[in-house]
Amino acid sequence: MRIIVGITGGIAAYKAPELVRLLKKQGHEVRCAATEHALQFVTRVTLETVSGAPLYSDLFASGRTEHISLKDWGEMLIVAPATANIIGKVANGIADDALSTLLLAFSGKPVIMAPAMNCEMWAHPAVQRNIETLKAWDIRMVGPEEGELACGVNGVGRMSEPDAIAAAVCNSESRTPNSELGKWLVTAGPTYERIDSVRFIGNYSSGKMGFALAQALADAGAEVELVAGPTSLKIDHPRVKVTRIESAREMYAAATEVFPHCNGAILSAAVADYRPSECADHKLKKNGSEGMHLDLVQNPDILATLGTMKTDRQTLVGFALETDNEEANAQHKLEKKNLDYIVLNSLRDAGAGFGVDTNKVTIISRNGNRKESPLLSKKEVARLIVETITP
Ligand code: PMT
C-alpha cells in the first residue's frame, strides 16, 4: 500500500522514523509530510532517508499543488504523533499548512491518527469533542496510552508505540473480497405504520447502521439484499441490491422471500411492533375537543420468523436496542429468536443508537463469546460485526 506518514510537533515525533521503517518492512511504500513544528523534533534528512522519498513540509515550495498530487498518490494517511493542534484543525476544517491541507484533501480515504499530548490537554473537553468529531468521520484513533509523559507526570497521552500503529495498519487493510460469503440479507431503517393518508407511527431510526452493514458485507465480498425502510440514504455498490419498503408487513414479505436464498442475515431495522388496526384512506378530521383512540395490533416479528426458518448453513444476527437490563434482555432475544449472534446497543451510552454517526456495541454469540466495542463510527462498528460473524 502507498502510505503517507504525517508528523506533527510533539516529542513523540522522534518515534516517527521507526514507524516509517516498520511500514517499509511490511512492504508498504512510504512518503512523509511534516509540519514546521515537527521539524524541531525530527530532521528532514532522517525522514527522507528512512522513507527514501522527498519530505512534503512546505505548501508553497514547489509552486505546484503537491497536497493534491500527494493525496492522489496516497492510499492511507497516518498522523503520528497527532497533536491537539492538528486534531483541532482537522475537526474544524482548518487548512493553513502543508499537512493540514493534505488532511482535508484526503477526505474519503482511510486516515489513522496516533494522538500524543499532555494528559490535561487530552482530557480537555475541546480535544475530546474534536476526537469524537473525527471518529464520526471514520478517522481511526490508535491510542493514546497511559504512562509517563515527557513533562514527567503519569497519565493518558503517550503516543502508542510504532509497532502498535503499524499493526493497526495491517488490521485496517480491507480484506480481499471473498465471494464464498454468498448472499446476505440486511434490514435497515425504521418502518412507518399508516394511521391515515397523511399520518403514521414511526421511530427515529435513520438507517445509518444498516446501510453501513450492507456496505461492509459487500466490501467483504458478499452479495447483499438490503431491505430498507423509509430513509433518504443511498448506497452505490455493484453487489448491493436495495428494496425499499414502508411498513413492517412489507419488510416481513421482502425478508422472508429472500432469506431462504441467503447464507445469513443481519436485522438492524427498527421495526414497529404495532400498527393501527385500520388505516383511513383519507385525512382523519379532528373530532371537536374529544381525544382520539388508536386501536393497535401486533406486527409480525421478522427476526423471530427467520429464526424458525433458519437452516444449519445460515447465520442469523439480530440487534437489541435496550434502555435497561441490557445484557439480560439481549440474551433473552438471542435464545428466544434462535439467533447465532445478537448486537446489543444501549440508549444509555452517549453517542450510541438512533440517528448519530457513531455506535457502541456488544456482540454476543450463541456460544457465549462477547466482543465489546468502544464508541466507533457506524462504518467501523459494521466492519467489526462483519469480521466477527463471517468466516
Ligand atoms: O438506523 P440508525 O439511526 O443508524 O440506528 C440504528 C439502530 C439503533 C436502529 C440499530 O442499531 C438497532 O438497534 N436496531 C434494532 C432496533 C430494534 O428494533 O431493536 P429491538 O430490540 O426492538 O428488536 C430486536 C430485533 O428484532 C432487531 O434485530 C429488530 O430488527 C428485530 N425485529 C423487531 C421487531 C419486529 N417486529 N421484527 C423484527 O425483526
Side-chain angles (χ1 to χ4, degrees):
M1 192 168 21
R2 293 188 299 274
I3 300 178
I4 303 163
V5 175
I7 304 126
T8 62
I11 181 64
Y14 82 88
K15 296 181 181 173
E18 174 62 4
L19 173 62
V20 173
R21 197 186 66 77
L22 287 173
L23 292 171
K24 290 202 66 159
K25 217 169 140 192
Q26 285 177 354
H28 302 293
E29 267 183 83
V30 182
R31 292 187 60 182
C32 295
T35 63
E36 212 177 292
H37 291 162
L39 296 177
Q40 300 284 333
F41 295 94
V42 61
T43 70
R44 171 180 294 275
V45 176
T46 308
L47 294 171
E48 292 191 338
T49 306
V50 287
S51 67
L55 175 74
Y56 175 54
S57 64
D58 184 345
L59 195 51
F60 303 107
S62 65
R64 288 179 282 120
T65 51
E66 200 168 346
H67 59 293
I68 302 300
S69 47
L70 196 53
K71 180 267 298 182
D72 290 341
W73 178 87
E75 293 172 297
M76 177 183 276
L77 175 48
I78 307 172
V79 185
T83 56
N85 187 42
I86 195 77
I87 289 166
K89 279 188 192 177
V90 179
N92 291 285
I94 296 169
D96 63 354
D97 64 4
L99 183 58
S100 53
T101 308
L102 175 64
L103 271 156
L104 286 204
F106 216 75
S107 164
K109 293 190 183 188
V111 176
I112 294 180
M113 286 194 175
M117 66 197 77
N118 162 270
C119 51
E120 308 288 352
M121 292 171 73
W122 173 251
H124 194 286
V127 173
Q128 288 305 310
R129 183 202 55 205
N130 291 338
I131 291 283
E132 291 316 319
T133 302
L134 298 189
K135 281 185 179 170
W137 293 341
D138 219 18
I139 292 184
R140 177 148 177 227
M141 298 293 154
V142 179
E145 313 292 335
E146 190 169 356
E148 194 182 343
L149 305 175
C151 52
V153 298
N154 266 294
V156 179
R158 275 174 74 91
M159 186 176 92
S160 294
E161 291 302 323
D163 54 355
I165 303 170
V169 173
C170 280
N171 294 343
S172 64
E173 279 183 81
S174 53
R175 295 194 298 181
T176 318
N178 175 3
S179 56
E180 287 176 18
L181 288 182
K183 189 182 274 195
W184 281 69
L185 161 70
V186 175
T187 66
T191 62
Y192 286 179
E193 310 300 324
R194 285 183 187 215
I195 298 170
D196 63 15
S197 57
V198 299
R199 303 179 182 92
F200 60 85
I201 297 173
N203 61 64
Y204 295 113
S205 171
S206 62
K208 286 178 184 171
M209 192 66 250
F211 275 63
L213 283 161
Q215 179 79 42
L217 274 167
D219 287 346
E223 292 287 329
V224 181
E225 294 274 354
L226 173 60
V227 179
T231 164
S232 56
L233 295 182
K234 294 191 172 67
I235 191 164
D236 185 17
H237 194 296
R239 284 195 288 273
V240 181
K241 180 180 159 223
V242 189
T243 303
R244 297 202 185 253
I245 54 81
E246 184 178 288
S247 68
R249 281 186 297 174
E250 287 166 3
M251 186 173 274
Y252 176 89
T256 49
E257 188 187 324
V258 78
F259 184 62
H261 312 289
C262 291
N263 291 28
I266 311 178
L267 272 60
S268 69
V271 185
D273 288 320
Y274 296 92
R275 67 177 186 278
S277 57
E278 282 173 20
C279 164
D281 59 5
H282 56 279
K283 183 179 172 190
L284 292 172
K285 292 285 173 216
K286 226 193 277 181
N287 190 4
S289 57
E290 275 179 35
M292 180 196 253
H293 296 276
L294 280 179
D295 181 39
L296 300 179
V297 292
Q298 234 176 52
N299 272 327
D301 190 316
I302 306 164
L303 184 59
T305 306
L306 300 192
T308 63
M309 295 165 68
K310 184 166 83 87
T311 64
D312 288 346
R313 61 162 195 89
Q314 290 178 305
T315 303
L316 185 56
V317 184
F319 266 69
L321 179 65
E322 304 294 341
T323 53
D324 48 318
N325 292 328
E326 287 92 337
E327 294 266 349
N329 288 337
Q331 190 66 41
H332 179 68
K333 283 177 188 167
L334 176 84
E335 285 159 26
K336 193 170 142 218
K337 301 193 184 190
N338 190 25
L339 311 180
D340 298 290
Y341 297 88
I342 191 137
V343 180
L344 165 63
N345 45 184
S346 169
L347 286 182
R348 284 204 286 188
D349 287 323
F354 286 129
V356 287
D357 289 321
T358 50
N359 209 354
K360 183 173 185 302
V361 300
T362 305
I363 308 168
I364 305 168
S365 79
R366 176 199 269 282
N367 57 19
N369 289 337
R370 298 160 45 87
K371 210 181 253 186
E372 266 181 56
S373 81
L375 189 69
L376 297 171
S377 71
K378 280 184 175 161
K379 288 180 189 166
E380 283 182 294
V381 169
R383 282 199 288 267
L384 182 73
I385 294 169
V386 168
E387 254 170 51
T388 309
I389 63 161
T390 55

mmCIF file of all heavy atoms in Angstrom, residues 350-378:
data_model
loop_
_atom_site.group_PDB
_atom_site.id
_atom_site.type_symbol
_atom_site.label_atom_id
_atom_site.label_comp_id
_atom_site.label_asym_id
_atom_site.label_seq_id
_atom_site.Cartn_x
_atom_site.Cartn_y
_atom_site.Cartn_z
ATOM 1 N N ALA A 350 -23.862 7.432 25.574
ATOM 2 C CA ALA A 350 -23.851 8.652 24.756
ATOM 3 C C ALA A 350 -23.214 8.333 23.410
ATOM 4 O O ALA A 350 -22.198 7.636 23.340
ATOM 5 C CB ALA A 350 -23.047 9.732 25.479
ATOM 6 N N GLY A 351 -23.830 8.811 22.347
ATOM 7 C CA GLY A 351 -23.260 8.608 21.011
ATOM 8 C C GLY A 351 -23.675 7.289 20.378
ATOM 9 O O GLY A 351 -23.222 6.953 19.288
ATOM 10 N N ALA A 352 -24.541 6.506 21.077
ATOM 11 C CA ALA A 352 -24.967 5.211 20.521
ATOM 12 C C ALA A 352 -26.444 5.271 20.135
ATOM 13 O O ALA A 352 -27.204 6.062 20.693
ATOM 14 C CB ALA A 352 -24.743 4.110 21.542
ATOM 15 N N GLY A 353 -26.835 4.423 19.184
ATOM 16 C CA GLY A 353 -28.250 4.282 18.858
ATOM 17 C C GLY A 353 -28.714 5.074 17.660
ATOM 18 O O GLY A 353 -28.014 5.180 16.652
ATOM 19 N N PHE A 354 -29.910 5.647 17.772
ATOM 20 C CA PHE A 354 -30.605 6.275 16.638
ATOM 21 C C PHE A 354 -29.913 7.521 16.075
ATOM 22 O O PHE A 354 -29.463 8.383 16.846
ATOM 23 C CB PHE A 354 -31.981 6.762 17.096
ATOM 24 C CG PHE A 354 -32.990 5.684 17.319
ATOM 25 C CD1 PHE A 354 -33.698 5.622 18.509
ATOM 26 C CD2 PHE A 354 -33.270 4.755 16.337
ATOM 27 C CE1 PHE A 354 -34.669 4.654 18.716
ATOM 28 C CE2 PHE A 354 -34.242 3.772 16.535
ATOM 29 C CZ PHE A 354 -34.935 3.725 17.722
ATOM 30 N N GLY A 355 -29.885 7.636 14.779
ATOM 31 C CA GLY A 355 -29.589 8.909 14.125
ATOM 32 C C GLY A 355 -28.135 9.298 14.047
ATOM 33 O O GLY A 355 -27.687 9.813 13.029
ATOM 34 N N VAL A 356 -27.363 9.052 15.103
ATOM 35 C CA VAL A 356 -25.975 9.521 15.149
ATOM 36 C C VAL A 356 -25.080 8.707 14.204
ATOM 37 O O VAL A 356 -25.478 7.656 13.711
ATOM 38 C CB VAL A 356 -25.412 9.432 16.591
ATOM 39 C CG1 VAL A 356 -25.994 10.510 17.473
ATOM 40 C CG2 VAL A 356 -25.660 8.045 17.181
ATOM 41 N N ASP A 357 -23.861 9.234 13.973
ATOM 42 C CA ASP A 357 -22.922 8.542 13.076
ATOM 43 C C ASP A 357 -22.077 7.510 13.810
ATOM 44 O O ASP A 357 -21.250 6.835 13.196
ATOM 45 C CB ASP A 357 -21.972 9.565 12.429
ATOM 46 C CG ASP A 357 -22.697 10.429 11.421
ATOM 47 O OD1 ASP A 357 -23.548 9.879 10.700
ATOM 48 O OD2 ASP A 357 -22.436 11.643 11.370
ATOM 49 N N THR A 358 -22.242 7.444 15.144
ATOM 50 C CA THR A 358 -21.413 6.536 15.938
ATOM 51 C C THR A 358 -22.281 5.492 16.643
ATOM 52 O O THR A 358 -23.492 5.665 16.745
ATOM 53 C CB THR A 358 -20.637 7.338 17.007
ATOM 54 O OG1 THR A 358 -21.563 8.183 17.701
ATOM 55 C CG2 THR A 358 -19.546 8.178 16.388
ATOM 56 N N ASN A 359 -21.628 4.460 17.137
ATOM 57 C CA ASN A 359 -22.345 3.460 17.933
ATOM 58 C C ASN A 359 -21.350 2.747 18.845
ATOM 59 O O ASN A 359 -20.127 2.813 18.618
ATOM 60 C CB ASN A 359 -23.060 2.446 17.023
ATOM 61 C CG ASN A 359 -24.314 1.873 17.672
ATOM 62 O OD1 ASN A 359 -24.601 2.151 18.844
ATOM 63 N ND2 ASN A 359 -25.062 1.080 16.931
ATOM 64 N N LYS A 360 -21.866 2.130 19.860
ATOM 65 C CA LYS A 360 -21.040 1.370 20.808
ATOM 66 C C LYS A 360 -21.810 0.081 21.041
ATOM 67 O O LYS A 360 -22.981 0.147 21.449
ATOM 68 C CB LYS A 360 -20.930 2.179 22.103
ATOM 69 C CG LYS A 360 -20.066 1.593 23.176
ATOM 70 C CD LYS A 360 -19.933 2.623 24.301
ATOM 71 C CE LYS A 360 -18.995 2.182 25.385
ATOM 72 N NZ LYS A 360 -19.337 0.935 26.032
ATOM 73 N N VAL A 361 -21.209 -1.047 20.716
ATOM 74 C CA VAL A 361 -21.984 -2.286 20.743
ATOM 75 C C VAL A 361 -21.275 -3.395 21.515
ATOM 76 O O VAL A 361 -20.056 -3.352 21.708
ATOM 77 C CB VAL A 361 -22.275 -2.808 19.302
ATOM 78 C CG1 VAL A 361 -23.069 -1.805 18.496
ATOM 79 C CG2 VAL A 361 -20.988 -3.193 18.577
ATOM 80 N N THR A 362 -22.062 -4.373 21.943
ATOM 81 C CA THR A 362 -21.514 -5.632 22.442
ATOM 82 C C THR A 362 -22.073 -6.723 21.542
ATOM 83 O O THR A 362 -23.295 -6.819 21.367
ATOM 84 C CB THR A 362 -21.962 -5.885 23.904
ATOM 85 O OG1 THR A 362 -21.582 -4.754 24.682
ATOM 86 C CG2 THR A 362 -21.297 -7.127 24.472
ATOM 87 N N ILE A 363 -21.154 -7.498 20.956
ATOM 88 C CA ILE A 363 -21.600 -8.592 20.073
ATOM 89 C C ILE A 363 -21.548 -9.877 20.903
ATOM 90 O O ILE A 363 -20.480 -10.263 21.384
ATOM 91 C CB ILE A 363 -20.675 -8.726 18.840
ATOM 92 C CG1 ILE A 363 -20.529 -7.363 18.138
ATOM 93 C CG2 ILE A 363 -21.183 -9.786 17.877
ATOM 94 C CD1 ILE A 363 -19.415 -7.330 17.092
ATOM 95 N N ILE A 364 -22.703 -10.503 21.093
ATOM 96 C CA ILE A 364 -22.771 -11.705 21.932
ATOM 97 C C ILE A 364 -23.109 -12.890 21.034
ATOM 98 O O ILE A 364 -24.065 -12.827 20.243
ATOM 99 C CB ILE A 364 -23.863 -11.553 23.021
ATOM 100 C CG1 ILE A 364 -23.598 -10.273 23.841
ATOM 101 C CG2 ILE A 364 -23.911 -12.771 23.928
ATOM 102 C CD1 ILE A 364 -24.756 -9.864 24.731
ATOM 103 N N SER A 365 -22.309 -13.945 21.146
ATOM 104 C CA SER A 365 -22.575 -15.105 20.277
ATOM 105 C C SER A 365 -23.374 -16.146 21.056
ATOM 106 O O SER A 365 -23.408 -16.141 22.284
ATOM 107 C CB SER A 365 -21.268 -15.709 19.764
ATOM 108 O OG SER A 365 -20.693 -16.502 20.762
ATOM 109 N N ARG A 366 -23.977 -17.049 20.294
ATOM 110 C CA ARG A 366 -24.802 -18.104 20.879
ATOM 111 C C ARG A 366 -23.991 -18.955 21.873
ATOM 112 O O ARG A 366 -24.505 -19.410 22.871
ATOM 113 C CB ARG A 366 -25.288 -18.974 19.709
ATOM 114 C CG ARG A 366 -26.076 -20.179 20.065
ATOM 115 C CD ARG A 366 -26.033 -21.119 18.870
ATOM 116 N NE ARG A 366 -27.132 -20.912 17.956
ATOM 117 C CZ ARG A 366 -28.373 -21.361 18.154
ATOM 118 N NH1 ARG A 366 -28.688 -21.977 19.238
ATOM 119 N NH2 ARG A 366 -29.292 -21.182 17.248
ATOM 120 N N ASN A 367 -22.664 -19.122 21.557
ATOM 121 C CA ASN A 367 -21.863 -19.945 22.477
ATOM 122 C C ASN A 367 -21.226 -19.128 23.602
ATOM 123 O O ASN A 367 -20.306 -19.578 24.270
ATOM 124 C CB ASN A 367 -20.805 -20.759 21.715
ATOM 125 C CG ASN A 367 -19.902 -19.862 20.896
ATOM 126 O OD1 ASN A 367 -19.834 -18.662 21.166
ATOM 127 N ND2 ASN A 367 -19.234 -20.412 19.896
ATOM 128 N N GLY A 368 -21.717 -17.897 23.806
ATOM 129 C CA GLY A 368 -21.326 -17.141 24.990
ATOM 130 C C GLY A 368 -20.134 -16.203 24.806
ATOM 131 O O GLY A 368 -19.763 -15.497 25.739
ATOM 132 N N ASN A 369 -19.525 -16.184 23.588
ATOM 133 C CA ASN A 369 -18.418 -15.231 23.373
ATOM 134 C C ASN A 369 -18.954 -13.818 23.286
ATOM 135 O O ASN A 369 -20.057 -13.594 22.782
ATOM 136 C CB ASN A 369 -17.661 -15.558 22.079
ATOM 137 C CG ASN A 369 -16.851 -16.817 22.239
ATOM 138 O OD1 ASN A 369 -16.506 -17.191 23.362
ATOM 139 N ND2 ASN A 369 -16.581 -17.492 21.132
ATOM 140 N N ARG A 370 -18.139 -12.852 23.770
ATOM 141 C CA ARG A 370 -18.576 -11.458 23.761
ATOM 142 C C ARG A 370 -17.470 -10.590 23.204
ATOM 143 O O ARG A 370 -16.298 -10.827 23.458
ATOM 144 C CB ARG A 370 -18.820 -10.951 25.188
ATOM 145 C CG ARG A 370 -19.872 -11.618 25.974
ATOM 146 C CD ARG A 370 -19.637 -11.331 27.437
ATOM 147 N NE ARG A 370 -19.336 -9.916 27.652
ATOM 148 C CZ ARG A 370 -20.242 -8.983 27.836
ATOM 149 N NH1 ARG A 370 -21.508 -9.292 27.872
ATOM 150 N NH2 ARG A 370 -19.887 -7.722 27.996
ATOM 151 N N LYS A 371 -17.834 -9.596 22.416
ATOM 152 C CA LYS A 371 -16.870 -8.609 21.940
ATOM 153 C C LYS A 371 -17.485 -7.248 22.199
ATOM 154 O O LYS A 371 -18.596 -6.980 21.718
ATOM 155 C CB LYS A 371 -16.659 -8.826 20.437
ATOM 156 C CG LYS A 371 -15.283 -8.444 19.955
ATOM 157 C CD LYS A 371 -15.148 -8.644 18.469
ATOM 158 C CE LYS A 371 -14.294 -9.827 18.092
ATOM 159 N NZ LYS A 371 -14.060 -9.916 16.631
ATOM 160 N N GLU A 372 -16.792 -6.422 22.977
ATOM 161 C CA GLU A 372 -17.326 -5.079 23.264
ATOM 162 C C GLU A 372 -16.565 -4.062 22.449
ATOM 163 O O GLU A 372 -15.338 -4.107 22.417
ATOM 164 C CB GLU A 372 -17.123 -4.750 24.743
ATOM 165 C CG GLU A 372 -18.325 -5.090 25.591
ATOM 166 C CD GLU A 372 -18.106 -4.742 27.039
ATOM 167 O OE1 GLU A 372 -17.802 -3.571 27.324
ATOM 168 O OE2 GLU A 372 -18.232 -5.663 27.870
ATOM 169 N N SER A 373 -17.257 -3.142 21.806
ATOM 170 C CA SER A 373 -16.537 -2.102 21.047
ATOM 171 C C SER A 373 -16.517 -0.815 21.870
ATOM 172 O O SER A 373 -17.425 -0.576 22.661
ATOM 173 C CB SER A 373 -17.230 -1.842 19.709
ATOM 174 O OG SER A 373 -18.334 -0.968 19.899
ATOM 175 N N PRO A 374 -15.501 0.017 21.649
ATOM 176 C CA PRO A 374 -15.604 1.376 22.185
ATOM 177 C C PRO A 374 -16.562 2.162 21.300
ATOM 178 O O PRO A 374 -17.158 1.592 20.369
ATOM 179 C CB PRO A 374 -14.167 1.912 22.035
ATOM 180 C CG PRO A 374 -13.585 1.114 20.919
ATOM 181 C CD PRO A 374 -14.290 -0.214 20.890
ATOM 182 N N LEU A 375 -16.732 3.454 21.555
ATOM 183 C CA LEU A 375 -17.547 4.273 20.649
ATOM 184 C C LEU A 375 -16.776 4.419 19.336
ATOM 185 O O LEU A 375 -15.645 4.892 19.327
ATOM 186 C CB LEU A 375 -17.803 5.648 21.277
ATOM 187 C CG LEU A 375 -18.807 6.513 20.532
ATOM 188 C CD1 LEU A 375 -20.215 5.943 20.647
ATOM 189 C CD2 LEU A 375 -18.790 7.947 21.074
ATOM 190 N N LEU A 376 -17.392 3.960 18.244
ATOM 191 C CA LEU A 376 -16.731 3.986 16.933
ATOM 192 C C LEU A 376 -17.713 4.563 15.919
ATOM 193 O O LEU A 376 -18.913 4.668 16.200
ATOM 194 C CB LEU A 376 -16.390 2.559 16.487
ATOM 195 C CG LEU A 376 -15.402 1.756 17.333
ATOM 196 C CD1 LEU A 376 -15.381 0.308 16.848
ATOM 197 C CD2 LEU A 376 -14.003 2.359 17.239
ATOM 198 N N SER A 377 -17.227 4.900 14.746
ATOM 199 C CA SER A 377 -18.170 5.303 13.698
ATOM 200 C C SER A 377 -19.004 4.066 13.332
ATOM 201 O O SER A 377 -18.552 2.921 13.502
ATOM 202 C CB SER A 377 -17.418 5.808 12.467
ATOM 203 O OG SER A 377 -16.787 4.728 11.830
ATOM 204 N N LYS A 378 -20.219 4.285 12.820
ATOM 205 C CA LYS A 378 -21.066 3.141 12.451
ATOM 206 C C LYS A 378 -20.383 2.292 11.371
ATOM 207 O O LYS A 378 -20.567 1.078 11.316
ATOM 208 C CB LYS A 378 -22.457 3.606 12.026
ATOM 209 C CG LYS A 378 -23.324 3.909 13.268
ATOM 210 C CD LYS A 378 -24.745 4.294 12.992
ATOM 211 C CE LYS A 378 -25.476 4.425 14.348
ATOM 212 N NZ LYS A 378 -26.711 5.198 14.293
#
